[in-house]
Amino acid sequence: MVASKLGPWVLLGLVLGACQQAPAAEVRDYALEATALVQGLTATSCRNDRDCAVGHASGACVLGTCFGLLTSDQRSARRVLADRLAHADSQVRVAAEKLLLGAISPPPVSLRERLGAIEGLGALLEVDAAKPFVCGKVCMALRSETAASDERVAAAARRVLGRGGDPTVVADLIADLELGTQLLRAEAATALTPFVGRGDDSAVVQALIARLHDPSAVVQEAALRTLLPRAADPQVRRALAGLQQHGSGLSYAVDQALAGTVTPTVR
């Protein structure tokens, strides 16, 4: 009896449920998401990065304005944006690549735009760093920047090409590691990470071992972390043990490396 009374209501519920429309599929503007990352939404005011979001992408909120890779003067903001670009959907990366390549090619380009384009293209290059290296149009554009007369531009291009696995910049990165400023030496050490443990890396390893005794602790740590994939190698272990004996401030990190408990960090 109860079942018969409920029957019409159950039927009505099924009919109403069938009439309800399915949730609309998410519509995304990948080009606009790429624009938020690359050029920013400079006409938009913001309190935080969420105010700079378009779809799944977000520019960087700096001093109340939504900046992108090409419009931000702050290197720290560009690094954050480059990382977001590297983790963006492939459709966003494709759209961003066109914007970045377009920005880097026609002269005159401001230093800010040039550095932002290099860091953005470098992020795209790193996405495929685990694959066998092939120099495509992004790589070729960055290689052309290594010949720039402005050393800031050339050094930035070498750094991102190294992180992306381009073997043509290894010799220059080793020179940066030996002769550059403290910041350039540290960044060169990190940029050499893809070449440690790959093929004949003896020149890279020797250059990094030498930097374990760099006057800068920052450079020492960068060299140490880059050498971690070779921590079991006898010459590397001897160098680490020697660093430990000299009372380095990195004793804890060296202990971990010798024990094999530290994993390498990239970037």
Side-chain angles (χ1 to χ4, degrees), residues 21-225:
Q21 294 182 349
E26 181 182 19
V27 178
R28 293 176 60 185
D29 188 335
Y30 298 112
L32 187 56
E33 290 188 29
T35 298
L37 289 168
V38 175
Q39 296 173 336
L41 308 172
T42 52
T44 302
S45 60
C46 60
R47 293 166 298 174
N48 52 55
D49 285 5
R50 289 192 298 273
D51 294 333
C52 302
V54 175
H56 294 192
S58 174
C61 181
V62 180
L63 299 177
T65 301
C66 295
F67 288 100
L69 281 160
L70 301 181
T71 52
S72 176
D73 287 316
Q74 293 193 8
R75 190 179 184 196
S76 57
R78 295 199 303 266
R79 291 296 296 271
V80 169
L81 289 164
D83 187 65
R84 289 175 183 172
L85 177 57
H87 289 88
D89 292 337
S90 59
Q91 298 96 320
V92 176
R93 296 199 305 271
V94 169
E97 179 181 307
K98 294 179 181 178
L99 293 173
L100 293 166
L101 288 173
I104 208 171
S105 300
V109 178
S110 70
L111 177 63
R112 178 194 64 206
E113 292 173 309
R114 211 167 175 182
L115 292 175
I118 287 171
E119 292 186 36
L121 291 172
L124 296 177
L125 195 64
E126 282 190 72
V127 172
D128 297 323
K131 302 177 183 177
F133 185 80
V134 176
C135 190
K137 54 186 176 181
V138 169
C139 166
M140 293 302 296
L142 289 169
R143 282 182 179 179
S144 69
E145 290 298 274
T146 63
S149 57
D150 191 321
E151 181 56 25
R152 292 168 294 182
V153 173
R158 292 194 296 270
R159 182 177 68 249
V160 299
L161 282 169
R163 292 205 307 259
D166 183 2
T168 66
V169 296
V170 169
D172 288 332
L173 287 173
I174 289 177
D176 289 340
L177 182 63
E178 295 172 345
L179 304 173
T181 63
Q182 173 181 306
L183 177 60
L184 187 55
R185 295 198 307 275
E187 291 185 331
T190 302
L192 286 167
T193 299
F195 309 103
V196 174
R198 180 188 299 182
D200 182 12
D201 64 354
S202 56
V204 172
V205 169
Q206 289 298 328
L208 289 166
I209 286 176
R211 289 304 98 199
L212 291 175
H213 297 283
D214 192 275
S216 167
V218 174
V219 179
Q220 289 180 16
E221 182 173 7
L224 169 62
R225 292 195 172 277

